[in-house]
Amino acid sequence: FSFKPALQLAIDYFNFHKDEVQPTWTSPCIDRHHMAIWSPNKTCQSFPKLIILGPQKTGTTAVHHFLDAHPSFASNRNTQHHFEETQFFLTEYHNGIDWYLDLFQSNSSLINFEKSANYFSDARVPHRIRKLFSNIKFVIITIDPIDRAYSWYNHMKAHKDSIALQYTFYEILNLSPLNGSHWRRIEKFRHRCLDPGIYIKHLSRWLRFFARDQFLLIDGEEFKQRPHLAMNSIQLFMNSSRFFDYKNLLVYSAKKRFFCLKNRRCLGPSKGRTYARLDQRSYIYLRDFYQKSNAQLANFLNKNLFSMPSWLEKYL
Ligand code: A3P
């Protein structure tokens, strides 16, 4: 017999069970033993029933803002680090489920929800959500991935990101692989710009973790023109006990060039920015870049009985 020291045993264990290196929060609500030792002040009612997954720059803030105005829906409180988004399943995961729960109201008649637009394209998130609540529902918004990528680049530029300021959009797209930390940063920037728009890659991953019926896909182009349709469909999807026809709640603002909630402050200047039109060679580059994944997406949507977003039809 040879006994190994505790530390060595732990190292051996995690070498063997690599999938357990990252701790995963599981729900106390599905196990009566866990419930028995959970604080009586805590309630499973606080967990969100809906998550708007993103991706970024598709209109997620507007959907979140409009939904929050519905008396049956309640979004999370703001956290110290992020405005509006919780980012719990990413950067805030180490804070634990009490931290997450405290962001939501415990009123059982409300549909708690959150929106964190980076969840959609991060491979860690579906597993983490599945472990915590497997019955949750999701909203995903898609727009033409070309527009999404360009909007993201302009968003970074407005935030004075050094790479966005230094390189044109076309230069970022045409990055030739080179070594060195500067180039690695540009490569990372390019990846963050383009990868979320490979919708099929991320959507098919989500559907490996959750059932088809847990997802509502919103056509972001239609949302811009007729947002009430998407907002009404979210209420039906969530079986909301109160139904508000958003047609009566939203008005078009010629100044913002968007729909806004009647008698409420519209979204701030960071939404609906004006920037130069996309140049032709970047467009052609991106049209080719996304061609295959768009075609795969169309097949996947058909097969899984999702309706085809209007922007995708032009590529078929
Ligand atoms: P632009 O800034 O490129 O115009 P997100 O909130 O997911 O980051 O998305 C921001 C994008 O939402 C904006 O991109 C804008 O086009 C779009 N959007 C769609 N409907 C909107 C609305 N009613 N109000 C504000 N932005 C809206």
Side-chain angles (χ1 to χ4, degrees):
F1 261 125
S2 76
F3 289 102
K4 290 185 177 175
L7 180 62
Q8 191 53 50
L9 264 183
I11 292 169
D12 288 354
Y13 180 90
F14 286 115
N15 275 337
F16 196 67
H17 296 281
K18 287 200 173 15
D19 55 325
E20 291 180 24
V21 170
Q22 293 286 333
T24 309
W25 302 112
T26 55
S27 172
C29 310
I30 49 173
D31 184 324
R32 67 188 165 83
H33 299 102
H34 290 170
M35 283 304 288
I37 56 171
W38 218 32
S39 157
N41 306 330
K42 292 175 190 162
T43 158
C44 299
Q45 298 298 341
S46 303
F47 281 125
K49 297 184 179 68
L50 170 70
I51 301 184
I52 302 167
L53 294 176
Q56 262 186 312
K57 308 317 293 172
T58 56
T60 56
T61 312
V63 172
H64 174 274
H65 180 64
F66 297 163
L67 199 57
D68 208 19
H70 192 298
S72 300
F73 288 79
S75 73
N76 54 280
R77 285 190 290 106
N78 281 340
T79 69
Q80 202 185 347
H81 297 118
H82 307 280
F83 173 71
E84 200 178 81
E85 307 198 339
T86 76
Q87 295 287 342
F88 174 66
F89 292 100
L90 286 170
T91 51
E92 305 302 319
Y93 196 61
H94 61 281
N95 290 327
I97 53 178
D98 283 358
W99 179 91
Y100 189 50
L101 268 182
D102 283 345
L103 299 176
F104 297 96
Q105 301 187 35
S106 54
N107 179 346
S108 64
S109 64
L110 290 174
I111 301 174
N112 282 336
F113 76 101
E114 71 135 315
K115 178 277 276 194
S116 293
N118 289 335
Y119 286 171
F120 177 69
S121 55
D122 194 295
R124 290 167 294 178
V125 180
H127 166 74
R128 288 177 172 182
I129 297 184
R130 163 116 200 142
K131 285 283 177 188
L132 199 51
F133 17 69
S134 51
N135 293 327
I136 192 151
K137 290 187 169 180
F138 303 106
V139 161
I140 294 169
I141 311 167
T142 63
I143 60 171
D144 188 328
I146 299 179
D147 296 336
R148 201 212 72 82
Y150 190 48
S151 171
W152 187 85
Y153 168 81
N154 282 295
H155 169 82
M156 297 307 279
K157 212 168 166 180
H159 282 266
K160 307 223 177 317
D161 178 277
S162 59
I163 291 173
L165 290 177
Q166 204 176 336
Y167 298 96
T168 66
F169 187 53
Y170 189 68
E171 283 169 340
I172 304 270
L173 297 179
N174 271 282
L175 171 76
S176 33
L178 283 170
N179 289 328
S181 66
H182 182 65
W183 284 100
R184 270 199 300 280
R185 277 184 52 227
I186 303 176
E187 227 167 64
K188 197 170 162 204
F189 182 99
R190 183 178 184 275
H191 181 81
R192 288 177 63 207
C193 183
L194 300 184
D195 181 69
I198 308 175
Y199 298 132
I200 181 63
K201 169 177 159 189
H202 308 294
L203 187 59
S204 56
R205 180 172 54 231
W206 279 99
L207 269 103
R208 287 199 290 278
F209 286 85
F210 297 94
R212 152 73 182 84
D213 297 348
Q214 288 172 266
F215 295 89
L216 177 70
L217 258 56
I218 291 181
D219 176 346
E221 307 292 354
E222 188 182 70
F223 175 72
K224 265 186 211 164
Q225 314 295 328
R226 287 176 290 278
H228 66 279
L229 295 179
M231 298 315 297
N232 289 351
S233 69
I234 296 177
Q235 296 178 75
L236 295 176
F237 177 59
M238 295 308 297
N239 301 317
S240 168
S241 53
R242 282 190 275 186
F243 184 83
F244 278 81
D245 190 350
Y246 271 84
K247 196 157 193 173
N248 306 320
L249 298 180
L250 299 170
V251 279
Y252 185 75
S253 155
K255 189 170 155 229
K256 302 281 296 184
R257 290 175 291 111
F258 281 121
F259 278 85
C260 303
L261 284 168
K262 243 185 218 170
N263 309 325
R264 295 261 196 118
R265 207 183 130 260
C266 215
L267 293 181
S270 69
K271 300 297 158 190
R273 295 188 178 97
T274 39
Y275 38 80
R277 270 174 74 95
L278 178 64
D279 61 283
Q280 186 67 6
R281 47 186 197 157
S282 298
Y283 174 81
I284 291 168
Y285 182 98
L286 287 175
R287 192 193 55 197
D288 296 346
F289 180 87
Y290 286 120
Q291 188 186 26
K292 192 169 157 207
S293 61
N294 280 342
Q296 289 170 336
L297 177 68
N299 279 337
F300 185 85
L301 295 179
N302 260 333
K303 208 172 105 197
N304 288 286
L305 306 178
F306 285 108
S307 53
M308 202 65 65
S310 51
W311 64 263
L312 186 52
E313 275 164 7
K314 69 173 180 270
Y315 291 111
L316 303 179

